[in-house]
Amino acid sequence: MQAQGMLEMSLSTDVLVIGGGAIGLATALELAGQGAKVTVLSRNFAEAALHAAAGMLAPQAEGLPPGPMLDLCLGSRSLYPAWIERLEILTGIDCGYWNCGILAPVFSAGSDSPSEKFSATSATPSLWLDSNSIRQQQPGLNQQITGGWWFPADGQVDNRRLAKALRVAVEQVGVTIHENLIVQALQCSGQQITGVSTTAGEWQAATYVLATGAWSGQILPIPVVPRKGQMLSVQMPLGDETTQSLHQVIFGDRTYLVPRRDGQVIVGATSEPVGFSPGNTPEGMRSLLEGAINLYPPLRDWPIQECWWGFRPATPDEWPILGPSPYQNLVLATGHYRNGILLTPITARLIADLIVHKKHDPLLEDFHWSRLEAQPGASNFETSAALRK
Ligand code: GLY
């Protein structure tokens, strides 16, 4: 399509969502559901962290301390069942949502003894399992595991199925997606964004949403950087009565195992500050395999299926950047780091409500970009080369 054609189309767009990953697509879907005409600009769908993730819904297993980030994550976890149901009804795609619970074994009880580390509430149920109970809960664990925490309300979604469903859903509700273009600059005049220059032409809209994940720092002077995660998967034997099997997520210190219902087990993940350096490395694979076998020895004989990598969008405080920006018509929805899949439903809702209903949910306050203004990687919006006047 010619740039001129796209320009005409963009002029009639209410909201231009920059970024076609989980956050961009879910926000576009929510906006369209609230009556907005939405266009999504996507750099490369296949490279979105959405595909690389394991799909854990793990605010408790991730050990987030009490505070705004835990509240945001718990809020999103509670939206998941109804959000997924709507998506599945709309698309007919089973997203593999599974409220399977997450088990977090420890290798020495020490300070992790019952009742001290995690206090159970109705919103955050948790249970300490001693050495015997944890083996009843999950046979086959390493004999050196002395106990562990059980988080029954954590779970998982199959992020690759979710990716398909989100793509189908946004198209079904009339969102236009333009793929394989790179945003070169945002144009601004005073406190307004007036357009987006891309490798495929210029775009304009009344409101812009930046949801470009690990690539956000290339577009705006905000401190979002890639944090590489390497992953692999193995195939659990199915249908063999004598085989021990995984039926919940196992969340170790540096390695986690996410069993899908079809027997695929995702093993994640490294966390490497290596920029956008691509590829699986021998060291990455070694650490994942060692960690996985150490948690759950039977896995050592299961066939390896696949290995891959992706880039988490990391911020200095590991919290996302959500809500208003220094520009009146630019909204930020990025920097979700380790919790992008989990935070997708709540981000989409908060951002769409902000744009369509001008509703500033109090939840947004702690995630405002200005908290990071003094951080390395953040620079003055006024002098940023990515913002053209
Ligand atoms: N959410 C787990 C990870 O980012 O590895």
Side-chain angles (χ1 to χ4, degrees):
M1 189 186 295
Q2 296 304 303
Q4 183 58 33
M6 288 201 283
L7 180 61
E8 280 162 15
M9 209 179 303
S10 70
L11 286 169
S12 62
T13 287
D14 296 338
V15 186
L16 192 62
V17 177
I18 308 168
I23 302 295
L25 293 178
T27 303
L29 183 63
E30 190 75 28
L31 284 162
Q34 297 194 20
K37 187 167 169 60
V38 187
T39 298
V40 173
L41 304 185
S42 170
R43 199 187 56 85
N44 183 341
F45 183 52
E47 284 189 5
L50 167 61
H51 302 278
M56 280 188 300
L57 308 174
Q60 292 183 259
E62 285 275 350
L64 296 168
M69 180 63 173
L70 180 61
D71 294 346
L72 190 75
C73 288
L74 291 173
S76 205
R77 188 182 69 183
S78 69
L79 294 180
Y80 244 95
W83 184 74
I84 286 287
E85 194 184 354
R86 277 201 307 279
L87 203 53
E88 291 184 343
I89 289 170
L90 185 62
T91 63
I93 296 172
D94 172 356
C95 296
Y97 172 70
W98 189 7
N99 192 12
C100 58
I102 298 187
L103 193 60
V106 297
F107 279 80
S108 107
S111 59
D112 275 317
S113 56
S115 78
E116 273 138 40
K117 192 166 171 194
F118 296 100
S119 49
T121 66
S122 58
T124 57
S126 62
L127 187 66
W128 171 259
L129 301 179
D130 64 17
S131 177
N132 287 334
S133 321
I134 198 167
R135 283 181 177 76
Q136 273 167 21
Q137 174 80 17
Q138 180 58 68
L141 291 172
N142 188 325
Q143 286 304 320
Q144 288 167 15
I145 287 170
T146 52
W149 289 93
W150 169 234
F151 302 112
D154 278 352
Q156 61 164 302
V157 65
D158 185 329
N159 47 291
R160 292 187 184 178
R161 288 166 176 253
L162 178 64
K164 274 196 204 118
L166 282 170
R167 265 305 270 250
V168 170
V170 292
E171 282 167 3
Q172 271 182 15
V173 298
V175 171
T176 309
I177 305 182
H178 292 277
E179 184 70 50
N180 298 324
L181 49 79
I182 294 173
V183 170
Q184 295 162 318
L186 304 186
Q187 289 139 0
C188 60
S189 169
Q191 299 307 110
Q192 290 286 320
I193 298 295
T194 54
V196 179
S197 310
T198 77
T199 47
E202 308 262 314
W203 295 81
Q204 289 160 342
T207 305
Y208 301 81
V209 178
L210 187 89
T212 42
W215 291 264
S216 300
Q218 296 177 351
I219 298 175
L220 276 184
I222 49 177
V224 180
V225 296
R227 180 70 59 83
K228 182 174 171 181
Q230 298 188 48
M231 324 267 293
L232 61 85
S233 62
V234 294
Q235 180 62 43
M236 172 165 63
L238 290 175
D240 176 354
E241 292 303 310
T242 62
T243 303
Q244 289 163 331
S245 71
L246 290 169
H247 45 85
Q248 64 230 321
V249 175
I250 311 294
F251 193 99
D253 245 3
R254 279 185 297 274
T255 313
Y256 48 77
L257 312 175
V258 184
R260 303 287 195 228
R261 282 198 170 100
D262 65 1
Q264 188 188 33
V265 179
I266 315 294
V267 179
T270 65
S271 187
E272 304 165 69
V274 293
F276 285 109
S277 156
N280 288 110
T281 61
E283 174 56 27
M285 295 296 96
R286 187 196 60 79
S287 73
L288 289 179
L289 290 169
E290 241 176 53
I293 293 167
N294 193 41
L295 274 176
Y296 186 72
L299 173 149
R300 62 160 45 97
D301 297 320
W302 297 352
I304 294 177
Q305 284 190 309
E306 203 188 328
C307 50
W308 66 95
W309 71 94
F311 300 105
R312 305 175 184 88
T315 60
D317 61 6
E318 302 182 356
W319 290 11
I321 301 174
L322 303 176
S325 75
Y327 294 87
Q328 284 162 1
N329 60 343
L330 173 65
V331 175
L332 305 174
T334 186
H336 291 73
Y337 189 42
R338 293 177 64 91
N339 294 294
I341 303 291
L342 170 63
L343 287 174
T344 293
I346 203 158
T347 300
R349 179 178 289 183
L350 291 172
I351 299 300
D353 283 351
L354 179 66
I355 292 171
V356 177
H357 303 294
K358 309 285 173 238
K359 182 178 161 203
H360 287 256
D361 193 298
L363 266 176
L364 285 172
E365 271 161 33
D366 292 288
F367 302 96
H368 197 266
W369 68 275
S370 59
R371 75 184 193 275
L372 301 171
E373 244 177 318
Q375 294 286 336
S379 64
N380 190 337
F381 279 80
E382 292 294 312
T383 57
S384 168
L387 287 156
R388 284 199 207 131
K389 301 213 172 25

